[in-house]
Amino acid sequence: MIESRPWENSDITGMHRLPAHAYFFRYDGADEALSFDRERSTGFINLVGSWYFKLFDRPERVSPKIHGELHTSWDTVTVPHMWQFDGFGSLHYTDEGYPFFVDPPRVPADNPTGVYQRVVTIGKLAAGEDIIIHIDGVESYAEVFVNGIFQGLTKGSRLTAEFNITDAVRAGKNLVSIRVVQYSDATYLEDQDMWWACGIFRDIYITRRPKAHVRDFHLWTERSGSDAVVNLNVWKDADVDVTWRILSEGNLIAQSALHAHGEGAWSSSVTITHPRWWNPEDPYLYTVLIEESRPDGSTTVIPHRLGLASYTIEGGRLLLNGVYFKMHGVNRHDFDPQRGRAVSMDRVRRDLGMMKAHNINAVRTAHYPNDPRFYELCDELGFFVVAETDLETHGFVATGNISQLSDDPAWEKAYVDRIERHVLAQRNHASIAVWSLGNESGYGCNFRAMYARAKELDPHRPVMYEEDRNADVVDIISTMYSRVSQMDDMGRYPMGKPRILCEYGHAMGNGPGGLAEYQAVIDRWDSIQGHFLWEWNDHGVERVNPDGTRDYLYGGDFGDYPNNGNFCIDGLVFPWQEPSPGLIEYKQVLCPVKISFDGDRMTVSNKRYFTDLSDVTLHVDIASSPSDSQSFSMRPGAIAPQESRVFSLGADSRPWEELLVTVTVSAHGRAEDDEHVLGRFQSPGRYPPDVPDGRDDVARAPIRVERAENSADMRVLAGESTFTFDAISGAITSWEYRGSQLIGADIEVGIWSPLIDNHHTEFNQLWKPNLLDAMQTSPRSASFTVTSHKVVVEMHRVLAAPSTDIGFDLAMTYVVSDTGELSVSVSGARRGHYTQVIPRIGLTLTIPHDMDRIEWLGLGPGESYPDSRTAQIYGQWRATVDDMYTPYVVPQNYGNRTGTTWVAVTNAHGVGLLARRLEPVDASTDFDFSVWPYTCADIDRATHLSELEKRDVGTLNLNHAVLGLGSNSWGSEVLDSYRIRFEDFAFSFALRPFQQHR
C-alpha cells in the first residue's frame, strides 16, 4: 500500500512548463537510440501524427489483490489502456459517490496496484543535454523509477507530468518502471461522473534537449485598432539567445529578438497589419518559429501554430477579437467502449469531425483536461473550448457538505496545483475561450485561490466555475440544468457578466426534448453566451456475446455496488460513434442559416458571428404534391454575420398555402464539390395529401354476416375483406384481405408505451405508484347493428389500473363498410383522482411480421416527437420496420413519427392497410405512429440490446397524443405545451385495406 499523505508535488520536475512536443526528439523503438528529428524540428508540425513514443506495451506484474485473483497472462494488454478494461480488476460506475468510505485523505488499504516496466535503449549521452520523460495521463497516483532510482511521483490523473531523468539514465539499456496505484488522496478531487478505472491511459514519451533551452513560452494576442499585436514571453535556462518569426503560408510576416526584463525571463511583441483573425468559422493558423541559439553554435527551432485570438469582456459581453459570439456546444468526456479513457487521437478527431458536421462550435472538457493534442485539433478545426481542470468532489454530498475540501485551507495547494498545471500547459491555444476551475465541488477559499492563480498565469482569458453562483470571483456566471423559463428570467435580468449554461438537456436514452424552446431563449438574450448539452458520448462498455451480438454495459453489470445504473448512457452519440436522433435534432436547432417564409417571400438570415454566406447554397424545392415539384439552386451571396436578406421565389398558379417549399442549406468546403448539409427548412403550407395508389375499384355489394351455431365467432364479409368478431365482447380477432392477414388480435386502446430514460422521474413519482404501467381492459357490453352497407359494433369497456379507482370508461365503435374498410372511434371518460401526465393515448394493432414495409406522409425520415421534430421535414417517406429501429443502449420507446397525415403498412406483395385520422373533435388530422417487431412489454423487459428478440408478429401504434420527451432523467420536465394528461379524450381512425401495385 502507498500511504496517503498531504498533497506534495516537490518531487515533480518540469511541471510541463513547456509543451511536451517542443523539441521534437523522437524515440523510434526499443532497439534504437533516441535521435533528433531534424525534419520535424524545422517546420510546421501536425501533432496528430503517430510520432509520439508509447513507452509501455504491457504491465509486467499486478497485485493479486485486484479482483481477488492473480493474473498471469498479459498477451492482450496494450497501453495506453486502463487495466480494468482488460479484465484485470473490476469496473465500477457511480455518478457522484466514492466507491469507498469517505475519510479524507485516507483511502482503502486494499488498493489495486500495477507495475509497468520497459527496457529502453538510449544512445550516447552528451554532457550538455537533459533526458525528460513525459506522462500525459496516469490514474490516479504514480511513482517513476529509472534503473531502480526513484525519480518522483505524480497526482492529477489528467494533468501532464514531466521528470528529468538525466542523472539516472546511462548509454545503452535502461529499465524504466512506473508503479500505479488506483486510489490516493488525489482521488477525493477526481470524483467525476464516469467509470472508476485506472492505469496509464495516455501516451508516455521521452525527449532529450540541450540544458540551455527555452523552458516555457507564452504567446497571446491583443487588438490595436485593426492590427494584431502578438506578445511573447519566454523563460530560459542557461545561456541561450532567442529570436522568433511569424509566417503565413510560408511567407515571413514578422520577426523579432527578445529583450531581457529579469533573470531568465524575456519578452517581445510584434504587430501584424491586415491580420487574419482566428475564429471557429475561419480557424486560420499562422506558424511561429522560436529559435534558440547557443554559444557553441547549435540551434533548436520550436514551432507553434498561432491563432490570432483575443478574448475580452466588454459591457458584460464576452468578445473574440472585438466580436460578440455565442458558444453552441456539448460536454465531452474521453471514452472508448473498449479502452475507457484511453482514447486514440483518431477517435478524438472523429468526435470533433462529427461535432463540426452537426453545427457544434464549442466543447466543454468535462471534467478534466484532455490530451494535449486535443487542443491542437480544436485550434485547427475551429472550436471554442471551455477548458476545465481535473477537479470534482461531488461525492461529498453524501456527507452533507460538498464544500468540505473546497473550503479547507489544508487542501489549497492541491487545488491550486491543478489549475496551475492546466493553464501552463495549454494557455497558448487560440481555441481556449474560458478556463473552468472544475465541476460540482461546492465553493470556498480554495476556489478563490485557484482563480487568483489562473489570472496570474493568464490574465487575458476569463474564468468560470458553476458553483460560484453569486459570481464572487469568476468572470463568467455558469448555470446548470436551469429550465427554459429560468433561463428566460436570467436573460431578462442579467448580472452584468456573461452567462453560460454549462450543462442542460440531459441526453440520456431517447431525447432530449425541448431543445428548440431552449435555443429560442438562448438566442433571445445577449447575456447568455454559451450552452453545453450533457453530453456527447454514451459510456457503454462493449461486450461481444458468444453469438456475435454486442451489448454495451453500464453500472451494475460488473457486480459493482453501489452504482448508478445506466446513468452513464447519456450521450448524443452511441458508443460506436453513430449519431443518435437527439444529435440530429440538435444539428437543426443550431443551423447557422435560418430560413423563414411569408408567401412567396423567403428571408435568409446569417446566424454566424464572423463569416458571411458566400460559401452557402440553397437547394429549393416547391411541391404541389409528392410527385409534382420544381427544384432549383441559388446562392444567397455575401450576407454579413447577423444580417438577413429577402428573396422572392416567384409567382405560381397555385396559392402558396397549398404548396410546400423545402429549402436545404448546404455549405462548401475548400473544394467546390465538398458540400455538406447545414439544415433544412419548410414553409407552413401543405399540399393536398396523396395516398398510395394500386387498390382496384371495388363494386359495392351487400355485406354478408356468418355465424355458426353455438360459436362466439361472427364473420363479416365486406368487399374483399373478411373480419372475425367475438360476438360477446365485440373484439376483432382477425382481419384478412385478398388472402393476407392484416391484423391478428383485437385493437387495443392504451396509455402506456415503453418507458424512456427521460420519463423515469414521472414513472417513479406518478406512474408506478398509481400502477399506470399495469392498466387492464375489461369489456362491459357490446352490440351489433347490421345493414346491407355497414356493420356497426358499439362497445363499452373499462381501461383501469388494478388496486385503484383510476381508469377510463371507454366508448368504442367499429364500423365496417361495404368496401371492406374499418373505422375505429374511441372516447374515454376519466375515473378516479389521477389527473397528471401520461405517456400516450392511442391504439395498438397486432400485425403479421411480414407487413414490414412502411410508407407515410408526414414528418420524416427520422424519428420525431412533439418536442423533438425540428430536424424532420414533411414529405412522403418509405422505410422498413428494421430501418425505423433506433438501437438505444438500454432498449426503450423508439421510432415514433409525429405530424403524420397517413401511414401504410404492407407486405412483400403490396398487401396491407392504410391508416389516417378521421376528423376528431379538435379538428386535428395529424397523428403519431410507430412500428416494432416487438411488443411494448418486450421492450420494457429488455435491459440490453441483445435481449430484444423479434416476434412472429409486429406492433403498429396509432397515437392520438404522445407525451413529449423532455430531459427529466436529469434536466427539465416536459414543457407544458407538450404534456398530455389523464383527461377525457375522443378520436377516430379510418383503416383501409389495399394492394399496392409494384
Side-chain angles (χ1 to χ4, degrees):
M1 172 193 172
I2 303 299
E3 180 184 358
S4 294
R5 57 180 183 263
W7 192 279
E8 296 176 359
N9 283 304
S10 57
D11 295 318
I12 300 178
T13 62
M15 293 299 296
H16 205 63
R17 302 289 178 181
L18 185 69
H21 56 267
Y23 290 94
F24 302 104
F25 287 91
R26 182 174 63 175
Y27 180 78
D28 293 314
D31 299 324
E32 300 179 22
L34 286 168
S35 59
F36 183 62
D37 188 340
R38 297 185 183 278
E39 180 181 353
R40 289 180 180 270
S41 69
T42 57
F44 170 73
I45 307 301
N46 181 350
L47 295 180
V48 188
S50 59
W51 66 273
Y52 276 83
F53 161 44
K54 295 178 174 61
L55 181 60
F56 298 101
D57 282 339
R58 66 180 191 268
E60 298 296 333
R61 182 170 41 220
V62 172
S63 163
K65 294 294 185 181
I66 296 181
H67 210 49
E69 54 184 302
L70 176 63
H71 297 279
T72 57
S73 174
W74 305 99
D75 294 340
T76 61
V77 181
T78 59
V79 171
H81 231 281
M82 311 193 83
W83 67 60
Q84 288 86 352
F85 282 81
D86 281 318
F88 306 109
S90 183
L91 283 163
H92 193 154
Y93 169 66
T94 62
D95 166 34
E96 60 187 33
Y98 296 103
F100 49 74
F101 175 57
V102 181
D103 185 25
R106 299 169 185 84
V107 294
D110 187 1
N111 200 348
T113 301
V115 177
Y116 299 75
Q117 294 184 323
R118 180 159 178 170
V119 173
V120 179
T121 302
I122 296 180
K124 181 179 178 181
L125 299 173
E129 67 179 7
D130 288 330
I131 308 296
I132 309 297
I133 186 170
H134 311 260
I135 302 175
D136 280 341
V138 58
E139 189 164 341
S140 74
Y141 170 93
E143 297 176 332
V144 180
F145 300 83
V146 176
N147 296 322
I149 303 171
F150 178 68
Q151 300 299 298
L153 61 88
T154 179
K155 306 173 190 177
S157 299
R158 273 70 65 174
L159 295 162
T160 297
E162 298 179 349
F163 302 85
N164 190 324
I165 61 174
T166 307
D167 294 340
V169 298
R170 54 179 177 258
K173 294 184 177 180
N174 296 265
L175 177 65
V176 179
S177 306
I178 298 182
R179 177 163 54 191
V180 179
V181 182
Q182 179 162 10
Y183 301 125
S184 69
D185 54 349
T187 303
Y188 284 103
L189 302 184
E190 297 177 4
D191 185 30
Q192 292 92 340
D193 175 10
M194 56 191 183
W195 290 97
W196 291 97
C198 56
I200 298 171
F201 62 92
R202 289 185 187 157
D203 285 358
I204 294 178
Y205 42 100
I206 290 177
T207 61
R208 64 199 303 168
R209 68 188 183 198
K211 288 186 180 295
H213 69 281
V214 170
R215 176 163 45 88
D216 191 13
F217 68 89
H218 182 201
L219 275 164
W220 75 95
T221 304
E222 296 176 299
R223 289 183 300 119
S224 177
S226 60
D227 297 337
V229 178
V230 182
N231 304 281
L232 172 67
N233 282 353
V234 299
W235 291 261
K236 67 183 185 67
D237 287 337
D239 190 7
V240 59
D241 293 327
V242 178
T243 59
W244 61 298
R245 293 170 286 158
I246 301 178
L247 293 85
S248 175
E249 299 177 355
N251 299 313
L252 182 65
I253 301 299
Q255 62 181 335
S256 178
L258 283 78
H259 304 287
H261 71 113
E263 184 177 355
W266 298 46
S267 68
S268 178
S269 63
V270 297
T271 298
I272 299 178
T273 58
H274 309 294
R276 186 170 174 181
W277 300 96
W278 182 94
N279 63 70
E281 297 163 17
D282 180 25
Y284 185 78
L285 297 172
Y286 292 82
T287 299
V288 175
L289 302 176
I290 302 172
E291 184 171 351
E292 305 170 338
S293 300
R294 284 167 285 277
D296 62 2
S298 65
T299 62
T300 305
V301 174
I302 306 168
H304 175 75
R305 295 192 292 180
L306 170 68
L308 301 180
S310 172
Y311 294 95
T312 57
I313 294 178
E314 302 174 24
R317 306 195 315 163
L318 179 61
L319 309 179
L320 171 60
N321 302 322
V323 178
Y324 176 86
F325 65 93
K326 289 182 188 284
M327 290 178 275
H328 306 301
V330 290
N331 287 273
R332 180 189 172 275
H333 269 289
D334 278 335
F335 190 76
D336 181 286
Q338 298 173 334
R339 298 157 55 96
R341 286 183 285 286
V343 296
S344 69
M345 293 313 295
D346 285 342
R347 185 179 180 95
V348 173
R349 181 179 276 274
R350 285 196 300 273
D351 274 349
L352 293 175
M354 287 174 66
M355 291 178 194
K356 205 73 178 177
H358 289 84
N359 298 326
I360 292 164
N361 73 355
V363 185
R364 179 180 177 225
T365 61
H367 300 290
Y368 41 79
N370 281 208
D371 185 295
R373 292 167 289 181
F374 168 84
Y375 305 95
E376 293 274 352
L377 280 172
C378 290
D379 290 347
E380 172 191 327
L381 300 176
F383 287 93
F384 293 114
V385 176
V386 172
E388 196 149 273
T389 198
D390 195 3
L391 179 63
E392 182 169 335
T393 68
H394 203 169
F396 281 92
V397 296
T399 71
N401 182 12
I402 194 174
S403 301
Q404 181 173 330
L405 302 186
S406 299
D407 206 28
D408 182 352
W411 288 77
E412 179 180 316
K413 185 176 180 180
Y415 276 65
V416 172
D417 173 78
R418 288 178 177 255
I419 193 64
E420 177 183 85
R421 292 165 69 183
H422 185 33
V423 172
L424 284 172
Q426 312 302 347
R427 62 184 171 180
N428 293 325
H429 290 288
S431 56
I432 295 178
V434 182
W435 298 113
S436 172
L437 303 180
N439 185 67
E440 292 181 315
S441 300
Y443 187 65
C445 60
N446 295 333
F447 280 104
R448 289 188 286 272
M450 290 178 76
Y451 174 85
R453 184 58 173 151
K455 299 300 282 190
E456 180 182 2
L457 296 172
D458 183 10
H460 314 290
R461 278 191 181 86
V463 176
M464 68 174 243
Y465 172 62
E466 186 264 336
E467 295 201 2
D468 180 7
R469 289 166 183 160
N470 294 320
D472 178 26
V473 295
V474 294
D475 308 302
I476 290 178
I477 307 165
S478 185
T479 301
M480 185 180 289
Y481 297 110
S482 299
R483 276 48 175 174
V484 172
S485 58
Q486 291 174 307
M487 290 307 300
D488 196 46
D489 287 342
M490 291 172 184
R492 193 179 304 274
Y493 305 106
M495 293 178 62
K497 294 182 178 182
R499 182 181 293 276
I500 288 175
L501 189 57
C502 67
E503 294 180 23
Y504 83 110
H506 203 257
M508 189 172 177
N510 188 345
L515 295 183
E517 286 73 19
Y518 265 115
Q519 198 64 40
V521 169
I522 290 164
D523 290 343
R524 184 177 303 148
W525 305 111
D526 281 356
S527 61
I528 303 175
Q529 289 208 240
H531 54 106
F532 293 83
L533 207 64
W534 187 267
E535 67 167 313
W536 176 246
N537 200 69
D538 284 340
H539 300 215
V541 179
E542 183 179 271
R543 178 183 67 193
V544 181
N545 300 313
D547 62 357
T549 61
R550 282 175 165 78
D551 282 321
Y552 294 86
L553 309 183
Y554 44 83
D557 284 335
F558 297 92
D560 45 321
Y561 181 83
N563 66 76
N564 287 97
N566 67 315
F567 206 62
C568 58
I569 310 298
D570 55 359
L572 291 166
V573 174
F574 295 121
W576 52 91
Q577 284 189 301
E578 176 188 341
S580 74
L583 181 56
I584 304 302
E585 176 77 0
Y586 198 35
K587 173 182 180 176
Q588 180 64 32
V589 166
L590 297 182
C591 184
V593 181
K594 303 297 184 185
I595 308 291
S596 60
F597 302 90
D598 182 9
D600 72 340
R601 293 165 60 84
M602 176 178 69
T603 300
V604 181
S605 300
N606 181 3
K607 295 301 181 180
R608 294 171 173 173
Y609 303 101
F610 305 97
T611 56
D612 63 31
L613 299 187
S614 298
D615 62 323
V616 168
T617 297
L618 307 180
H619 302 284
V620 183
D621 182 86
I622 304 174
S624 58
S625 75
S627 57
D628 183 10
S629 65
Q630 55 177 320
S631 301
F632 60 91
S633 297
M634 58 178 288
R635 289 288 188 95
I639 301 175
Q642 302 299 302
E643 298 293 333
S644 299
R645 187 175 299 168
V646 178
F647 298 88
S648 174
L649 294 173
D652 193 279
S653 58
R654 298 284 295 274
W656 280 97
E657 60 270 16
E658 296 180 11
L659 299 174
L660 183 65
V661 181
T662 304
V663 179
T664 300
V665 183
S666 297
H668 300 273
R670 295 176 181 175
E672 186 64 22
D673 59 350
D674 177 16
E675 185 176 5
H676 64 279
V677 173
L678 299 176
R680 293 182 174 89
F681 297 86
Q682 283 188 321
S683 65
R686 286 289 184 269
Y687 43 60
D690 259 356
V691 295
D693 58 8
R695 191 186 77 157
D696 299 327
D697 291 334
V698 244
R700 295 180 180 272
I703 290 177
R704 292 188 294 129
V705 176
E706 299 175 351
R707 181 179 179 184
E709 188 176 356
N710 299 322
S711 172
D713 290 341
M714 185 172 74
R715 298 178 71 220
V716 176
L717 289 76
E720 295 181 85
S721 290
T722 300
F723 297 86
T724 303
F725 289 91
D726 184 309
I728 299 172
S729 67
I732 294 177
T733 57
S734 175
W735 180 8
E736 293 183 357
Y737 175 74
R738 292 188 175 180
S740 294
Q741 190 176 71
L742 300 184
I743 62 174
D746 195 28
I747 299 172
E748 298 179 359
V749 179
I751 66 166
W752 190 251
S753 60
L755 184 64
I756 68 170
D757 289 318
N758 279 320
H759 291 163
H760 267 281
T761 300
E762 287 84 355
F763 177 78
N764 292 327
Q765 295 179 4
L766 298 173
W767 301 341
K768 187 64 175 178
N770 291 291
L771 297 176
L772 298 192
D773 59 331
M775 299 285 280
Q776 301 169 348
T777 300
S778 297
R780 291 292 190 258
S781 65
S783 64
F784 290 78
T785 302
V786 180
T787 70
S788 59
H789 296 296
K790 65 180 178 181
V791 173
V792 179
V793 185
E794 295 179 294
M795 294 161 284
H796 174 212
R797 298 176 177 180
V798 173
L799 176 66
S803 304
T804 75
D805 65 346
I806 298 170
F808 286 103
D809 284 320
L810 300 179
M812 192 169 181
T813 302
Y814 293 145
V815 178
V816 177
S817 72
D818 56 7
T819 61
E821 298 182 12
L822 173 70
S823 68
V824 183
S825 300
V826 183
S827 63
R830 181 179 64 85
R831 296 176 63 169
H833 66 279
Y834 186 81
T835 59
Q836 299 300 315
V837 294
I838 54 177
R840 70 163 184 134
I841 302 171
L843 304 178
T844 296
L845 287 69
T846 300
I847 59 176
H849 70 90
D850 63 346
M851 284 178 55
D852 59 354
R853 276 82 168 168
I854 317 298
E855 187 172 354
W856 74 99
L857 180 65
L859 293 182
E863 69 177 74
S864 56
Y865 299 83
D867 61 347
S868 182
R869 55 186 284 166
T870 308
Q872 307 307 317
I873 59 175
Y874 192 80
Q876 193 160 319
W877 309 100
R878 291 182 176 88
T880 66
V881 171
D882 288 344
D883 292 336
M884 303 181 85
Y885 175 60
T886 302
Y888 294 111
V889 169
V890 179
Q892 53 198 278
N893 193 23
Y894 75 88
N896 190 76
R897 267 64 175 176
T898 195
T900 307
T901 299
W902 55 257
V903 59
V905 185
T906 60
N907 61 23
H909 304 292
V911 176
L913 60 84
L914 181 142
R916 60 182 176 85
R917 283 287 284 269
L918 293 176
E919 289 292 338
V921 175
D922 62 5
S924 172
T925 58
D926 286 351
F927 63 95
D928 292 53
F929 81 92
S930 58
V931 191
W932 315 315
Y934 322 105
T935 67
C936 176
D938 292 337
I939 300 172
D940 265 336
R941 276 192 299 267
T943 58
H944 297 86
L945 290 170
S946 66
E947 297 170 23
L948 278 178
E949 296 184 9
K950 293 182 180 179
R951 287 182 173 262
D952 58 2
V953 293
T955 300
L956 169 62
N957 300 297
L958 303 174
N959 290 322
H960 163 66
V962 170
L963 180 66
L965 299 174
S967 62
N968 209 14
S969 53
W970 186 254
S972 61
E973 306 83 0
V974 177
L975 294 172
D976 285 342
S977 53
Y978 302 118
R979 296 184 187 185
I980 58 171
R981 299 182 181 276
F982 202 89
E983 297 172 342
D984 295 354
F985 63 85
F987 63 88
S988 300
F989 279 93
L991 306 177
R992 194 194 84 183
F994 73 105
Q995 182 167 11
Q996 197 169 32
H997 297 304
R998 297 183 183 277

